[in-house]
């Protein structure tokens, strides 16, 4: 083998080795760049995911608040209807007592009218109490949903940040 051939082969082999080393270093550098880009994309996705979780929680909380408002309106309307029904019933009783020739202001007649009114007010009280309890439960659900959404959003962001920090440390 001639000296020139031996030098050329040795230099080529050295070049291939150097090229392979440079290629693997470049591959590693490219991998770390790709990893960083994916990490940044992951952070962006985590940020969007956190925003989305919080937005969904806020929307559900708004639904709970709306249901509580509707409940309050319906309760007020039912109370008005119950009061009108009570007034009709007591007026009808008084008129019937008068038609029968019974003085509605003496004896047991006023007690019967008072009993009718008392029953109506008892029903109104129970309806208002149950409506208020339901509104309180809806308000608590709204507050819990808001807090939960915020906690999930913060947890998602922290989890992504810790994951990114672990990759670089």
């Amino acid at each position: 083998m001639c000296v020139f051939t031996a030098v050329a082969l040795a230099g080529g082999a050295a070049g291939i080795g150097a090229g392979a080393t440079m290629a693997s270093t470049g591959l590693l550098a490219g991998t770390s760049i790709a990893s960083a880009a994916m990490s940044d994309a992951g952070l962006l996705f985590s940020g969007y995911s956190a925003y989305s979780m919080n937005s969904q929680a806020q929307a559900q909380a708004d639904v709970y608040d709306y249901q509580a408002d509707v409940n309050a309106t319906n309760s007020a309307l039912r109370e008005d209807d119950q009061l009108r029904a009570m007034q009709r019933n007591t007026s009808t009783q008084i008129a019937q007592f008068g038609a029968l020739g019974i003085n509605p202001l003496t004896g047991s007649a006023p007690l019967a009218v008072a009993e009718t009114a008392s029953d109506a007010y008892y029903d109104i009280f129970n309806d208002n109490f149950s409506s208020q309890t339901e509104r309180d439960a809806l308000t608590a659900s709204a507050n819990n949903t808001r807090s939960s959404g915020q906690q999930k959003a913060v947890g998602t962001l922290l989890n992504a940040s810790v994951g990114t920090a672990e990759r670089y440390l």
Side-chain angles (χ1 to χ4, degrees):
M1 180 187 317
C2 121
V3 176
F4 289 108
T5 307
V7 170
L9 285 176
I16 291 172
T21 303
M22 290 174 59
S24 76
T25 306
L27 182 62
L28 290 176
T31 303
S32 67
I33 291 171
S35 176
M38 289 176 62
S39 176
D40 292 343
L43 280 175
L44 288 174
F45 179 75
S46 295
Y48 175 75
S49 179
Y51 172 78
S52 178
M53 280 185 218
N54 194 33
S55 295
Q56 288 173 351
Q58 292 297 330
Q60 183 61 45
D62 291 343
V63 168
Y64 287 137
D65 287 337
Y66 175 75
Q67 288 173 336
D69 291 342
V70 168
N71 186 307
T73 302
N74 289 342
S75 177
L77 293 173
R78 280 192 308 272
E79 182 177 354
D80 287 343
D81 288 345
Q82 290 170 331
L83 285 172
R84 286 190 188 118
M86 186 256 322
Q87 291 168 346
R88 262 192 321 271
N89 291 340
T90 55
S91 297
T92 300
Q93 280 181 321
I94 291 170
Q96 287 175 345
F97 287 137
L100 293 173
I102 300 172
N103 184 356
L105 301 176
T106 61
S108 61
L111 295 176
V113 173
E115 180 76 20
T116 300
S118 174
D119 288 346
Y121 280 116
Y122 182 76
D123 291 342
I124 290 170
F125 172 79
N126 283 335
D127 186 53
N128 285 342
F129 181 79
S130 65
S131 293
Q132 183 62 46
T133 302
E134 187 175 344
R135 284 193 302 273
D136 291 344
L138 287 168
T139 300
S141 293
N143 292 336
N144 290 340
T145 302
R146 280 188 189 94
S147 296
S148 174
Q150 290 169 353
Q151 289 172 358
K152 285 178 183 176
V154 168
T156 299
L157 291 175
L158 286 175
N159 189 26
S161 299
V162 167
T164 301
E166 287 175 347
R167 284 187 201 108
Y168 289 111
L169 296 180

